Amino acid sequence: MKVLVSLVSLIAFLMVVLPGPLYKFGVVELGTAFAGFRFGVYVGGAALVLLLVQVIFMRKTATVSSTVVAVIFAGIAIFMPLNMMDKAKSVPPIHDISTDVVNPPKFVAIAPLRADAPNPVAYAGAETAAQQLKAYPELTTLNYAYPKSELVVATVQAIKNLGWELVNSDASQGIVEATETTTWFGFKDDIVVRIKDEGSQRFVDIRSKSRIGRSDLGKNAERIHTFVDELNAVLAK
């Protein structure tokens, strides 16, 4: 029984941990990876039931170490997918976020890189804008007094500090583009920063868009917040 509990809990753990790397390296399709997530919850639950049976009816076969390991593995298998599902319910099912939803920054150099992406390069539209404004009302155009050239340099530095891939930097147009590849699944999300002159002020807009997936689980909004914090930190130095 001890071996069975350990084996089932390990299988459950692997079913939720491995799908990301397997998809990232092209071993499985995204649908298969997500299926592993779903079934991992059930297998994790089965592992806990078996563990309970062992503790109640076969207590002598259970050790503290094996019980703890089984609980940890099964707990992770259950918690991770459920946490993602809960996150999906708490944010709108969108994947294109911009601080300017009326005239969002356009991808230039990144556009060809998204040619085969399921999510098109064009802005998602009014429905997405309405959902974003309701969920992330704090994401608005930034206003700075720094020179445009200085803001472009600071933007590039912030992108490098965050470990994103710099794709394009056009100081004359005030456009900086980058791509972030997520660690677990290897999803590629694109970012464009637009810096516009308006008299003595500079207005900065940021747009972040996923190449794949209907819902980004709030990742693009989180990315914009992270970038803004890093940009302000660079400018403050």
Side-chain angles (χ1 to χ4, degrees), residues 20-115:
L22 290 177
Y23 170 76
K24 182 177 181 179
F25 294 107
V27 179
V28 299
E29 297 293 331
L30 188 58
T32 303
F34 284 157
F37 262 51
R38 291 194 299 272
F39 287 113
V41 175
Y42 300 134
V43 177
L48 291 181
V49 170
L50 289 172
L51 179 60
L52 184 62
V53 171
Q54 180 188 20
V55 171
I56 294 175
F57 299 105
M58 307 174 189
R59 187 171 300 176
K60 292 183 179 180
T61 65
T63 63
V64 174
S65 59
S66 64
T67 299
V68 170
V69 171
V71 168
I72 291 175
F73 280 176
I76 291 174
I78 295 171
F79 173 77
M80 284 179 62
L82 292 183
N83 183 57
M84 290 179 66
M85 290 172 61
D86 185 62
K87 180 67 174 178
K89 293 178 181 178
S90 68
V91 298
I94 56 179
H95 55 262
D96 195 348
I97 305 296
S98 174
T99 56
D100 183 350
V101 297
V102 176
N103 181 29
K106 295 180 179 180
F107 293 108
V108 182
I110 280 178
L113 303 179
R114 297 181 62 102

